[in-house]
Amino acid sequence: MRGQELELLTPARLVVTETHGRVCVEPQGDWVIDTVGAVEDELRALASRADPSAIVYSFTQLGRIDTAGAYLLGRLTQDCADPDGDFHYLDHHPVAPGLIAEVRRRTLSCAPVKAQTYGFRAAVARLGAGIEAAYLEGLGTLGFLGHTLTTAASTALRPWRFRLTPTVWVMEEAGVNAMPIIAVLSFFIGAVIAFMGANLLQTLGMTVFTVDLVAVTVLREFGVLITAIMLAGRSDSAFTASIGSMKMQQEIDAMKVLGIDPFEAIVLPRVIACTLMAPLLTFGGMVAGIAGGMVVAWSTDLQISPTMFITRMHENTDWSHFMVGMSKAPVFGLVIAIIGCRQGMEVGGDVESLGRRTTASVVQSIFAVIVIDAIFAMMYLELGI
């Protein structure tokens, strides 16, 4: 069948006449992908010497035409100020002018690659571009947070619209299933703190203060930090990947067509689940970290028994350290969920965009956690807590 179709095609020909300052291009025969290869060189030569604004077409002898033929003909006038103007056509054709214009609109014209510059000015330019990108990312995240909060307020006024099942599912996936890895990491962090503190305090004859060191650092900082970083690396990337894949498959667009608010159905359950589970995971991380420090204090030369460890921690560690650590957890959970969901909603239609957004989600979440933790530390320092 393919051979018979080729036999029915009329070879493509090109007739060019120049009169009164105009270059009349008359394509003849069938200008389809199987025939236009014979006239491509002739078209290139014509495009190199002719003025694009002087090109006019005559389609009286034109047979069939497809996108390949339209693309080659459209290249003659692509550099003209009005490449699709009516003055380019001497006669009417039902297909060719519209097809040439459509192919031109859908043809991606890539800008030439700029040579990479070096030096002080180039470094300052890149620094400025980076600062501007960070500023725009921050504004975008704040806007996304505002949209999420308004959706939460709207759902609070209409509680029957709240989606309990997705929220509980995310609580299990992002919270309960993350507990083992957070507990293991926190255990070893507590053990490392005890080792380092014991070696230093032993030279000063104050090894018993290892208990205070482990309790304060784990309760105040490391318990919540390890939890937040693990949420950023594990759950936050999962949020971005799942929402991004839905965006790529146009499921988000389908929700909008059906009248379903994506923020209400997708974003809000993840934000609520992550905000609620962060304090619980932090508490588990604190317990595991203190257990790690207790094991080291008992098994090394310190010879601090678990009973003595717990008693001293109870007598010398104020509850404010525990409350400081717990107060950070829901804030970290909210920020991590907002960043992960926003990056997922920003995914384009290709896999490269998904990978780039997932990486940005994890990096931005960890950066935000550390910055917010520093702000909390300065705030509590000024308050004397």
Side-chain angles (χ1 to χ4, degrees):
M1 295 295 294
R2 179 63 174 170
Q4 295 177 359
E5 292 178 2
L6 292 177
E7 292 177 359
L8 295 175
L9 293 176
T10 304
R13 295 184 301 275
L14 184 67
V15 177
V16 180
T17 56
E18 300 183 19
T19 56
H20 305 293
R22 295 194 306 178
V23 180
C24 180
V25 178
E26 184 178 0
Q28 299 178 356
D30 294 326
W31 282 60
V32 295
I33 191 170
D34 294 310
T35 61
V36 292
V39 295
E40 183 178 5
D41 293 338
E42 189 175 354
L43 284 170
R44 288 183 182 274
L46 177 61
S48 64
R49 72 174 188 271
D51 182 7
S53 60
I55 297 290
V56 292
Y57 298 104
S58 175
F59 298 123
T60 56
Q61 301 298 322
L62 178 63
R64 285 178 285 184
I65 184 172
D66 64 2
T67 54
Y71 172 73
L72 292 180
L73 289 173
R75 286 196 310 188
L76 297 176
T77 58
Q78 64 182 0
D79 295 329
C80 180
D82 187 8
D84 299 318
D86 292 336
F87 63 90
H88 285 296
Y89 304 103
L90 292 178
D91 45 54
H92 173 73
H93 191 277
V95 176
L99 186 59
I100 291 174
E102 185 66 22
V103 169
R104 180 180 290 110
R105 281 194 296 268
R106 295 181 178 273
T107 301
L108 178 63
S109 299
C110 299
V113 179
K114 296 182 179 179
Q116 188 172 4
T117 57
Y118 300 93
F120 178 75
R121 293 182 61 182
V124 173
R126 292 185 63 185
L127 177 62
I131 294 175
E132 181 184 11
Y135 172 73
L136 295 177
E137 280 289 326
L139 284 183
T141 303
L142 289 177
F144 192 89
L145 173 62
H147 194 167
T148 304
L149 292 179
T150 55
T151 303
S154 175
T155 305
L157 296 176
R158 297 174 294 176
W160 60 87
R161 296 182 64 89
F162 177 67
R163 300 174 182 270
L164 180 61
T165 302
T167 304
V168 174
W169 180 82
V170 176
M171 290 174 68
E172 179 182 2
E173 287 294 318
V176 177
N177 294 345
M179 189 69 250
I181 185 65
I182 291 176
V184 170
L185 287 180
S186 299
F187 180 88
F188 285 109
I189 289 293
V192 170
I193 294 172
F195 266 121
M196 297 181 64
N199 290 334
L200 176 61
L201 295 173
Q202 197 169 22
T203 60
L204 303 175
M206 297 184 293
T207 54
V208 71
F209 286 100
T210 303
V211 178
D212 305 72
L213 176 65
V214 172
V216 172
T217 54
V218 170
L219 292 178
R220 196 178 185 95
E221 291 293 339
F222 286 108
V224 65
L225 266 181
I226 292 300
T227 301
I229 291 174
M230 286 306 302
L231 278 177
R234 181 185 180 278
S235 302
D236 194 60
S237 59
F239 290 169
T240 304
S242 60
I243 297 176
S245 63
M246 295 176 66
K247 189 78 179 295
M248 292 172 59
Q249 298 172 7
Q250 299 182 344
E251 296 179 26
I252 304 294
D253 297 332
M255 287 184 179
K256 295 178 181 178
V257 171
L258 294 174
I260 301 174
D261 185 3
F263 276 79
E264 188 178 285
I266 299 174
V267 176
L268 192 59
R270 286 169 168 79
V271 171
I272 292 176
C274 199
T275 304
L276 292 179
M277 292 305 298
L280 299 178
L281 293 173
T282 299
F283 180 77
M286 290 177 177
V287 173
I290 291 174
M294 184 189 305
V295 170
V296 171
W298 185 27
S299 60
T300 59
D301 296 337
L302 299 180
Q303 294 299 317
I304 299 176
S305 65
T307 302
M308 180 180 176
F309 190 100
I310 295 174
T311 301
R312 181 169 180 83
M313 185 179 69
H314 178 70
E315 293 176 352
N316 294 275
T317 305
D318 192 80
W319 276 96
S320 62
H321 301 302
F322 172 76
M323 298 307 298
V324 165
M326 293 298 294
S327 66
K328 302 176 186 178
V331 179
F332 289 166
L334 174 64
V335 171
I336 289 169
I338 288 294
I339 292 176
C341 293
R342 175 183 177 266
Q343 293 298 328
M345 296 293 283
E346 293 293 326
V347 171
D350 56 344
V351 179
E352 182 182 358
S353 174
L354 177 62
R356 185 171 60 252
R357 289 293 178 177
T358 303
T359 302
S361 172
V362 176
V363 172
Q364 290 183 17
S365 298
I366 295 176
F367 177 80
V369 163
I370 294 175
V371 171
I372 294 174
D373 184 68
I375 295 174
F376 269 113
M378 291 186 290
M379 181 180 68
Y380 287 131
L381 179 64
E382 292 295 326
L383 295 176
I385 301 177

